[in-house]
Amino acid sequence: DTAVSQTPKYLVTQMGNDKSIKCEQNLGHDTMYWYKQDSKKFLKIMFSYNNKELIINETVPNRFSPKSPDKAHLNLHINSLELGDSAVYFCASSPGQGYGYTFGSGTRLTVV
Amino acid sequence: GQQLNQSPQSMFIQEGEDVSMNCTSSSIFNTWLWYKQDPGEGPVLLIALYKAGELTSNGRLTAQFGITRKDSFLNISASIPSDVGIYFCAGGNSNTGKLIFGQGTTLQVKP
């Protein structure tokens, strides 16, 4: 069983479209995250939820909206996609704040 | 904001050699972690350090949490081809709840 699973693995879409990425964890962790990895492999936090409550919201355009229907799921919806949104997006979870994360395998988003 | 400086940026070594990489920060962290990322995959946790001065091993890997809480190193002994990948350090604070990642060290191992 995959501990942190994201779908889709690859997403190619046109500028201006709206898309969603889904994430589910079966580890029983309380905290989930979205990270963005750019072309230089730099990992930057976007959002964090603890038990369905938003606790971290970095400087991210409001076109990005996370949603956590329950503590095992954290989805990311992106409106009006732009070329600069192309990156790999990683979902992660941890048993609590400040502990090691378990990452999903990533969603490679390409905006054309 | 908090930043981590990870070095070296890349390494190209011969199989069997030992490897050392480190991270430094101007900020204090109460957690240091080391991850490895293979192509097309997410980072995988290698070693987690939770106490200043802590020295922890995981097989051929050894990592230390610096006494000042502002640095950490990772050593890999007797490297093998499957050690190839990108290694990331990450510093965390339980009060902020987020991990700050270094820029990564790309390791290539020549058989």
Side-chain angles (χ1 to χ4, degrees):
Chain A
D1 270 349
T2 304
V4 180
S5 57
Q6 302 178 222
T7 54
K9 177 116 177 128
Y10 300 96
L11 186 53
V12 180
T13 188
Q14 290 188 323
M15 280 175 55
N17 284 350
D18 304 338
K19 290 292 178 186
S20 291
I21 308 172
K22 296 186 175 182
C23 179
E24 176 182 3
Q25 55 97 1
N26 62 8
L27 298 166
H29 287 168
D30 287 336
T31 311
M32 295 185 72
Y33 311 83
W34 279 109
Y35 272 75
K36 179 180 180 181
Q37 186 172 47
D38 62 23
S39 59
K40 294 185 178 179
K41 306 298 183 186
F42 184 63
L43 281 157
K44 186 169 167 51
I45 191 167
M46 300 173 69
F47 301 103
S48 171
Y49 271 74
N50 187 60
N51 257 321
K52 302 192 298 176
E53 182 183 342
L54 179 67
I55 55 172
I56 294 174
N57 185 348
E58 292 291 287
T59 310
V60 177
N62 57 16
R63 298 182 294 104
F64 291 78
S65 52
K67 281 191 173 49
S68 182
D70 55 63
K71 76 171 194 176
H73 295 83
L74 180 60
N75 303 322
L76 184 64
H77 187 76
I78 315 170
N79 289 327
S80 303
L81 278 155
E82 301 176 357
L83 293 176
D85 296 333
S86 296
V88 182
Y89 292 84
F90 285 101
C91 177
S93 71
S94 68
Q97 296 181 54
Y99 288 89
Y101 300 170
T102 301
F103 281 88
S105 58
T107 295
R108 181 173 292 277
L109 172 66
T110 304
V111 183
V112 298
Chain B
Q2 293 177 309
Q3 285 188 328
L4 295 185
N5 294 312
Q6 184 173 347
S7 64
Q9 190 173 7
S10 62
M11 302 180 76
F12 190 89
I13 62 169
Q14 197 77 30
E15 183 177 0
E17 288 183 358
D18 296 344
V19 171
S20 186
M21 58 192 80
N22 69 81
C23 267
T24 60
S25 172
S26 57
S27 303
I28 289 174
F29 292 102
N30 55 29
T31 306
W32 279 95
L33 305 114
W34 286 92
Y35 284 84
K36 182 191 178 200
Q37 185 176 19
D38 291 327
E41 297 296 327
V44 174
L45 183 64
L46 299 173
I47 293 181
L49 303 156
Y50 296 108
K51 283 171 56 176
E54 181 181 354
L55 182 71
T56 297
S57 292
N58 178 7
R60 295 177 295 107
L61 277 59
T62 302
Q64 184 157 33
F65 190 146
I67 289 289
T68 65
R69 295 188 167 195
K70 293 182 179 181
D71 63 304
S72 178
F73 71 75
L74 174 71
N75 288 341
I76 306 173
S77 62
S79 58
I80 58 178
S82 62
D83 290 335
V84 164
I86 304 176
Y87 291 80
F88 290 98
C89 63
N93 279 312
S94 54
N95 53 342
T96 64
K98 63 182 177 182
L99 291 184
I100 307 297
F101 281 82
Q103 303 96 324
T105 295
T106 300
L107 178 64
Q108 298 181 66
V109 179
K110 186 178 178 183

